[in-house]
């Protein structure tokens, strides 16, 4: 057998050429395999994993899971997000109502469905997965190669922008929502991120300022922030300090929020007034829908538990009773399923015994009256600042504000492309709600000064 001696130059040259050719051959095989995967993905036939709620019926096709409980649980997530507008509120509502969601589990029998209370990431992945919109996507994540300490390091799993996805095939399979609804959900999720983007409005936060996150400085283009003075202050002050923080210059603009909030509220009420009665009726329907949704999910869970108990009973009856090692274990499993059924039946009876939160005739008439008079409903004690903010955000995309000669010039950009120009008088220096703001000859100002002087005299 011929052998090579690395000490000889000719043998070293031959060994190097063979090693290079072998390495090139392995590289070609790898490139061909990756290209075959990409070609299959471009046809929409490559499925490395399948999202919960779908089943792989062949090597190149998926379809909805026929389990109605899984379908309705996923549909409930999308319905609640369209209603609540924030991912966190959907998560808190599901946890509060003790509604479980399906998850993929791995065990000795392979892939199976587990039901558990959702965590935040579960809701996030459901709402951001384009598969639920009927789209096939490949290449949403990528890898990066860096050199650290002289060695190659590959970082995998970073998210790509939609324009950088390798494959996007819409209407590939039956979806739980439409593609338009999916894009709307992504805009809402991105818009609710606080401090993540220069253009995002951020989620609705605490405070009485109704325009927080919507105002943009017309002088420098930065977002305006809201600040409250004191512990129990209910009136915010909007200010732009981007130039001061980034460049060390003077603040762009600053003004009290009371008059601006009232002006924008009046514009919103004027546009919503024709829809007031419809909104009142929709509120009545939504009040009873939550009870029905919870009852429906509980009934589906009970139906699944009864099936599991029946299957455990059949397995127990099919075993040889003399084989106590197996029969004892199957009997224990059957008893566990029966206990779960009894607990769910008890929860269902409790929920049915709890009176549904229905409106009385007086409350119904009062709600319809508020729907006909939205201005009174807007100022009612039951309307919280968070509710007003959500209503304003559903109509207004952005407000550009400039200050000109003690006047606020507001350009309201409505959803849909319309624009409205408003002018709001700005408080002069030292003018606020606790001061009259009139000339020294004003009787109210004179009375206030006399009262102040009397109060400042020393006691006799």
């Amino acid at each position: 057998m011929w052998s090579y001696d690395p000490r000889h130059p000719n043998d070293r040259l031959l060994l190097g050429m063979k090693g290079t050719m072998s390495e090139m051959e392995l590289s070609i095989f790898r490139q061909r395999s990756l290209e075959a995967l990409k070609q299959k993905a471009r046809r929409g036939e490559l499925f490395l994993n399948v999202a919960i709620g779908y089943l792989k019926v062949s090597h190149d096709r998926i379809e909805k899971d026929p389990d109605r409980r899984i379908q309705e649980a996923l549909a409930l997530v999308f319905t609640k997000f369209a209603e609540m507008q924030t991912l966190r509120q959907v998560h808190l509502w599901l946890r509060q109502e003790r509604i479980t969601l399906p998850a993929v589990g791995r065990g000795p029998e392979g892939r199976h469905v587990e039901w558990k209370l959702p965590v935040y990431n579960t809701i996030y992945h459901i709402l951001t997965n384009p598969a639920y919109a009927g789209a096939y996507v490949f290449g949403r994540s990528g890898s990066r190669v860096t050199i650290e300490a002289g060695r190659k390091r590959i970082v995998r799993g970073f998210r790509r922008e939609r324009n950088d996805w390798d494959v996007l095939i819409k209407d590939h399979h039956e979806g739980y929502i439409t593609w338009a609804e999916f894009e709307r959900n992504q805009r809402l999720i991105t818009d609710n991120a606080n401090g993540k983007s220069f253009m995002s409005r951020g989620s609705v936060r605490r405070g009485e300022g109704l325009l927080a996150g919507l105002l943009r400085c017309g002088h420098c283009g930065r977002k305006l922030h809201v600040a409250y003075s004191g512990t129990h202050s209910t009136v915010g002050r909007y200010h732009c300090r981007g130039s001061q923080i980034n460049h060390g210059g003077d603040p762009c603009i600053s003004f009290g929020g009371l008059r601006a909030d009232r002006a924008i509220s009046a514009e919103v009420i004027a546009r919503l007034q024709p829809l007031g009665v419809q909104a009142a009726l929709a509120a009545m329907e939504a009040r009873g829908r939550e009870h029905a949704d919870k009852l429906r999910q509980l009934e589906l869970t009970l139906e699944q538990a009864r099936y599991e108990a029946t299957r455990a009973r059949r397995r127990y009856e099919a075993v040889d009773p003399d084989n106590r090692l197996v029969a004892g274990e199957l009997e224990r499993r059957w008893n566990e399923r029966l206990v779960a059924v009894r607990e769910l039946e008890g929860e269902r009876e409790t929920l049915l015994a709890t009176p549904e939160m229905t409106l009385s005739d007086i409350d119904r008439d009062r709600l319809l009256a508020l729907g006909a008079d939205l201005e009174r409903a807007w100022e009612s004690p039951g309307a919280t600042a968070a509710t007003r903010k959500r209503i304003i955000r559903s109509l207004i995309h952005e407000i550009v504000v400039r200050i000109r000669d003690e006047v606020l010039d507001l350009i309201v950009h409505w959803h849909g492309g319309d624009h409205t120009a408003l002018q709001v008088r700005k408080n002069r220096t030292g003018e606020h709600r606790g001061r009259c703001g009139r000339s020294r000859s004003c009787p109210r100002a004179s009375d206030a000064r006399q009262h102040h002087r009397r109060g400042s005299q020393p006691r006799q």
Side-chain angles (χ1 to χ4, degrees):
M1 182 177 179
W2 184 263
S3 62
Y4 298 96
D5 190 350
R7 294 177 298 176
H8 297 165
N10 292 335
D11 290 354
R12 285 202 305 270
L13 176 63
L14 188 59
L15 288 172
M17 291 179 60
K18 281 190 172 183
T20 303
M21 293 176 62
S22 299
E23 184 179 359
M24 179 60 67
E25 187 177 8
L26 291 176
S27 177
I28 292 175
F29 287 159
R30 183 173 183 275
Q31 291 178 7
R32 288 178 177 175
S33 300
L34 291 177
E35 187 60 30
L37 287 177
K38 292 180 180 179
Q39 289 291 343
K40 191 173 183 180
R42 294 187 185 103
R43 298 192 301 267
E45 300 174 354
L46 178 63
F47 297 99
L48 301 178
N49 51 52
V50 181
I52 190 71
Y54 287 98
L55 294 177
K56 189 175 179 181
V57 295
S58 63
H59 69 282
D60 59 352
R61 190 167 63 89
I62 63 173
E63 63 181 19
K64 274 187 175 182
D65 195 313
D67 192 332
R68 286 187 295 110
R69 185 187 176 191
I70 296 178
Q71 292 186 13
E72 295 192 14
L74 293 173
L76 181 63
V77 173
F78 294 108
T79 302
K80 282 299 174 182
F81 183 76
E83 175 185 336
M84 298 180 175
Q85 303 287 305
T86 64
L87 194 152
R88 176 171 173 78
Q89 292 299 320
V90 175
H91 171 234
L92 293 178
W93 183 84
L94 292 173
R95 300 282 298 195
Q96 178 182 354
E97 299 297 334
R98 309 293 297 174
I99 295 178
T100 57
L101 292 181
V104 177
R106 304 289 180 179
E109 300 178 357
R111 184 179 187 268
H112 63 276
V113 177
E114 297 178 351
W115 291 87
K116 57 181 70 174
L117 289 176
V119 296
Y120 182 88
N121 285 337
T122 301
I123 309 298
Y124 177 80
H125 290 312
I126 291 175
L127 292 174
T128 57
N129 193 340
Y132 294 108
Y136 177 88
V137 174
F138 181 78
R140 284 200 301 163
S141 61
S143 61
R144 293 172 180 167
V145 180
T146 59
I147 304 298
E148 294 184 3
R151 300 177 64 89
K152 182 176 72 171
R153 181 172 181 267
I154 302 177
V155 180
R156 296 181 175 87
F158 74 92
R159 291 295 178 182
R160 290 178 172 177
E161 297 293 334
R162 185 182 303 179
N163 296 332
D164 298 330
W165 291 351
D166 294 337
V167 180
L168 173 59
I169 305 175
K170 300 177 183 178
D171 299 327
H172 176 267
H173 52 270
E174 184 182 4
Y176 287 83
I177 57 175
T178 64
W179 182 256
E181 292 173 334
F182 173 77
E183 290 185 323
R184 172 182 171 276
N185 292 344
Q186 305 317 299
R187 287 193 297 268
L188 279 174
I189 294 174
T190 303
D191 215 24
N192 288 337
N194 293 304
K196 294 294 185 65
S197 173
F198 174 73
M199 299 300 294
S200 65
R201 300 183 297 180
S203 60
V204 174
R205 310 185 79 172
R206 290 182 297 178
E208 298 296 325
L210 302 182
L211 308 181
L214 295 177
L215 294 173
R216 188 170 297 278
C217 179
H219 302 275
C220 68
R222 296 180 175 88
K223 283 178 57 177
L224 268 66
H225 300 273
V226 60
Y228 301 93
S229 60
T231 307
H232 304 288
S233 177
T234 59
V235 180
R237 184 171 183 84
Y238 301 109
H239 59 88
C240 175
R241 298 178 57 193
S243 177
Q244 183 184 27
I245 294 175
N246 296 327
H247 306 292
D250 296 330
C252 289
I253 58 176
S254 176
F255 58 92
L258 185 60
R259 290 180 177 173
D261 289 352
R262 288 177 176 176
I264 297 299
S265 298
E267 289 292 322
V268 170
I269 291 172
R271 282 160 175 75
L272 289 179
Q273 188 64 50
L275 304 175
V277 176
Q278 297 180 12
L281 295 176
M284 295 179 189
E285 295 177 359
R287 189 178 180 88
R289 194 181 304 133
E290 290 189 3
H291 186 274
D293 290 340
K294 183 178 180 179
L295 179 60
R296 177 59 178 168
Q297 291 298 317
L298 186 57
E299 289 177 346
L300 292 174
T301 306
L302 178 59
E303 183 178 351
Q304 179 72 23
R306 286 171 176 168
Y307 164 73
E308 296 289 343
T310 303
R311 187 176 66 171
R313 178 180 60 82
R314 289 199 301 264
R315 295 183 64 183
Y316 172 73
E317 293 174 349
V319 73
D320 186 358
D322 294 332
N323 190 356
R324 295 305 305 169
L325 295 177
V326 177
E329 175 64 20
L330 294 179
E331 184 180 7
R332 183 188 63 80
R333 295 180 183 180
W334 182 20
N335 290 331
E336 289 180 354
R337 302 297 188 275
L338 292 175
V339 170
V341 169
R342 283 196 295 268
E343 291 178 353
L344 290 172
E345 288 176 345
E347 292 183 16
R348 182 175 179 273
E349 292 176 359
T350 303
L351 186 61
L352 291 175
T354 303
E356 187 176 350
M357 300 289 290
T358 58
L359 293 176
S360 63
D361 294 338
I362 298 176
D363 293 336
R364 180 183 177 88
D365 295 339
R366 186 181 302 168
L367 184 58
L368 289 175
L370 290 175
D373 187 2
L374 278 184
E375 185 174 0
R376 186 161 61 93
W378 188 271
E379 300 296 339
S380 65
T384 62
T387 303
R388 298 189 187 101
K389 291 178 185 180
R390 291 192 181 96
I391 295 175
I392 292 176
R393 285 169 173 248
S394 65
L395 297 179
I396 296 178
H397 172 66
E398 189 179 65
I399 303 172
V400 179
V401 56
R402 289 176 176 269
I403 294 182
R404 177 181 53 84
D405 298 333
E406 301 300 326
V407 174
L408 299 177
D409 289 332
L410 305 176
I411 305 297
V412 183
H413 296 265
W414 304 89
H415 287 299
D418 291 340
H419 310 285
T420 302
L422 298 176
Q423 286 189 347
V424 180
R425 188 174 71 84
K426 182 178 180 293
N427 289 344
R428 294 189 295 271
T429 303
E431 182 180 357
H432 50 81
R433 290 188 301 170
R435 182 172 177 178
C436 176
R438 303 182 181 182
S439 63
R440 296 183 63 86
S441 61
C442 175
R444 290 175 57 190
S446 176
D447 294 341
R449 288 194 298 272
Q450 293 177 8
H451 176 76
H452 176 72
R453 284 198 296 268
R454 287 196 300 268
S456 61
Q457 293 176 356
R459 295 183 179 179
Q460 299 297 328

